[in-house]
C-alpha cells in the first residue's frame, strides 16, 4: 500500500513537471499575441499623413517578424511533437525560436537608432531622391539590417553556446535582456531631465499660457509668440521649452514608465521590449533633437521637414499673435502636416 501511494505520488510529480513548461509556453504565446495587438493598435493610431521614412518601414517589418514568430510557436505548441522536412520539432523549439528573436531584437536598438539619425540628416541636407528609389532604399535597408543581425546572432560562438545549453536543460528558458535599450533609455531620460532643469521656468510659463484648439480635425497647441515672429525659426533657447512641452504632452506616461524601469532595474526580455510604441518614442525624440540642432537652418516655407506620427511639432513654430489662421495654416499644412 505504501509502495502504491509513493508510486502515485511520483507519477503526479512527473505530471506536474510535464505541465509546467506547457503553461509557460501558453503564456509566451499570449504575451506575443498581446504585443502584436499593441503594435497594430499603435500603427492604427498614428497620423495618416506622415511621409515615408525608414522608421515606418522598420515598424512594419517588426510586426511581420512578431507575427511569424507567433505562427511558428503556436504550431509547435498545438502539435507538441512532430516532424517536418526531416526535422523534429518539440516544445524545446518554442524556447529556441524565442531566444533567437530576443537576441536579434536586443542587438537592433543601436543600428536602428543610427540609421534613423542618418535618414533625418539626409532629409535636412536637401538630398532628394525619386519617390520610388526612396521606397526601394528603405525596403532593402530594412532587409539588410535584419539579415545582418540574424547572421551575427547565429554566428556568434557565445550566443551559440547559450542556445545549445538549452537543449540539455530544456525546462529552463531564460531570455536575453538588451543592454542597448537600457543605455538608450537612460541617455534619453537624462537629456530630458537636463533640458527640463535648464528651462523649467520657461516650461511652466508656456504651460500656463498655452492654448488648445482644433483645426482640420486635429488638436493644435498654440504658444505665445511675439508679434514680429516669422516663419524663420528662432534660437535654440527659445525652442527648447516648446519642444519639451510638445514632447512631454504626448510621451509623458512613457517617460515616467522609463524612469520606473530604470530606477527599479526592471528586466524586460528583448522580444517584449522591442515594440512599436518604444520605436515611435525614440523617433519623436530624434525628430525633436534634429529640429533643435538645425533650428538656424529651418525655414518652414522652403524645406520639407520630417513628420512625426504622433507629435505635432508645427505648434512650436506657428505665431500666436497672427489672428488670420488661414494665412498661417495653409502653407504650413502643405509642408508639415
Amino acid at each position: 500500500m505504501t509502495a502504491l501511494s509513493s508510486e502515485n505520488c511520483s507519477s503526479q510529480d512527473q505530471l506536474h513537471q510535464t505541465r509546467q513548461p506547457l503553461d509557460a509556453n501558453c503564456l509566451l504565446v499570449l504575451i506575443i499575441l498581446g504585443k502584436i495587438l499593441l503594435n497594430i493598435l499603435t500603427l492604427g493610431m498614428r497620423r495618416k499623413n506622415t511621409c515615408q521614412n525608414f522608421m515606418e518601414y522598420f515598424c512594419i517589418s517588426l510586426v511581420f517578424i512578431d507575427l511569424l514568430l507567433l505562427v511558428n510557436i503556436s504550431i509547435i505548441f498545438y502539435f507538441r511533437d512532430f516532424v517536418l522536412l526531416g526535422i523534429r520539432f518539440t516544445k524545446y523549439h518554442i524556447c529556441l525560436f524565442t531566444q533567437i528573436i530576443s537576441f536579434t531584437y536586443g542587438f537592433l536598438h543601436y543600428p536602428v537608432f543610427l540609421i534613423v539619425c542618418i535618414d533625418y540628416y539626409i532629409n535636412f541636407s536637401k538630398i532628394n531622391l525619386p519617390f520610388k528609389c526612396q521606397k526601394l532604399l528603405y525596403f532593402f535597408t530594412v532587409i539588410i539590417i535584419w539579415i545582418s543581425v540574424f547572421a551575427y546572432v547565429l554566428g556568434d560562438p557565445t550566443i551559440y553556446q547559450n542556445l545549445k545549453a538549452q537543449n540539455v536543460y530544456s525546462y529552463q528558458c531564460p531570455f536575453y535582456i538588451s543592454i542597448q535599450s537600457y543605455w538608450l533609455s537612460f541617455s534619453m531620460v537624462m537629456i530630458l531631465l537636463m533640458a527640463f532643469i535648464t528651462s523649467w521656468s520657461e516650461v511652466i510659463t508656456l504651460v500656463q499660457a498655452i492654448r488648445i484648439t482644433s483645426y482640420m480635425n486635429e488638436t493644435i497647441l498654440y504658444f505665445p509668440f511675439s508679434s514680429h515672429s516669422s516663419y524663420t525659426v528662432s534660437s535654440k533657447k527659445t525652442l527648447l521649452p516648446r519642444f519639451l512641452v510638445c514632447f512631454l504632452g504626448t510621451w509623458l506616461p512613457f517617460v515616467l514608465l522609463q524612469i520606473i524601469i530604470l530606477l527599479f532595474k526592471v528586466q524586460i526580455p528583448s522580444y517584449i521590449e522591442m515594440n512599436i510604441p518604444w520605436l515611435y518614442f525614440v523617433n519623436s525624440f530624434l525628430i525633436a533633437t534634429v529640429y533643435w540642432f538645425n533650428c538656424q537652418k529651418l525655414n518652414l516655407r522652403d524645406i520639407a521637414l520630417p513628420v512625426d506620427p504622433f507629435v505635432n511639432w508645427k505648434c512650436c513654430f506657428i505665431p500666436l499673435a497672427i489672428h488670420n489662421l488661414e494665412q498661417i495654416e495653409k502653407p504650413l499644412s502643405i509642408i508639415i502636416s
Side-chain angles (χ1 to χ4, degrees), residues 210-213 219-223 245-246 314-316 318:
I210 202 169
R211 283 172 51 184
I212 303 177
T213 186
T219 301
I220 297 178
L221 306 178
Y222 284 97
F223 295 99
V245 172
C246 284
K314 78 170 76 173
C315 58
C316 297
I318 300 176

Side-chain angles (χ1 to χ4, degrees), residues 39-209:
N39 289 340
I40 294 176
L41 178 64
T42 306
L43 286 175
M45 291 173 58
R46 77 189 194 279
R47 297 166 64 192
K48 299 299 186 293
N49 56 348
T50 55
C51 61
Q52 299 288 338
N53 53 51
F54 171 79
M55 185 63 81
E56 295 291 325
Y57 280 76
F58 184 79
C59 287
I60 294 174
S61 70
L62 180 64
V63 175
F64 175 76
I65 296 296
D66 281 338
L67 185 60
L68 189 63
L69 174 65
L70 178 64
V71 171
N72 287 332
I73 65 175
S74 298
I75 293 175
I76 299 174
F77 175 75
Y78 181 78
F79 291 103
R80 300 186 184 181
D81 192 344
F82 65 97
V83 177
L84 179 64
L85 300 177
I87 303 175
R88 183 184 178 187
F89 292 92
T90 64
K91 60 187 179 183
Y92 155 72
H93 289 88
I94 295 179
C95 174
L96 178 63
F97 291 157
T98 310
Q99 280 190 318
I100 293 175
I101 291 296
S102 292
F103 278 110
T104 304
Y105 286 176
F107 291 120
L108 274 172
H109 294 275
Y110 286 169
V112 171
F113 187 91
L114 179 61
I115 293 176
V116 173
C117 289
I118 295 174
D119 184 27
Y120 290 147
Y121 174 79
I122 292 175
N123 287 338
F124 270 92
S125 300
K126 300 181 181 180
I127 301 176
N128 296 322
L129 297 175
F131 182 70
K132 290 184 178 180
C133 295
Q134 194 174 26
K135 289 176 64 176
L136 288 175
L137 178 62
Y138 289 144
F139 178 77
F140 285 111
T141 303
V142 169
I143 292 179
I144 290 172
I145 192 174
W146 278 110
I147 293 177
S148 300
V149 178
F150 267 123
Y152 173 77
V153 169
L154 296 178
D156 185 83
T158 305
I159 298 176
Y160 176 77
Q161 292 298 327
N162 290 333
L163 295 175
K164 187 178 180 181
Q166 304 309 315
N167 195 12
V168 181
Y169 306 103
S170 59
Y171 59 90
Q172 296 179 350
C173 191
F175 296 113
Y176 177 69
I177 309 297
S178 175
I179 193 65
Q180 293 186 5
S181 62
Y182 172 84
W183 286 113
L184 275 181
S185 178
F186 179 80
S187 301
M188 288 189 292
V189 169
M190 291 304 298
I191 291 173
L192 290 172
L193 180 61
M194 289 188 294
F196 181 78
I197 293 174
T198 303
S199 58
W200 67 271
S201 59
E202 291 86 352
V203 170
I204 294 176
T205 302
L206 280 177
V207 171
Q208 292 174 346

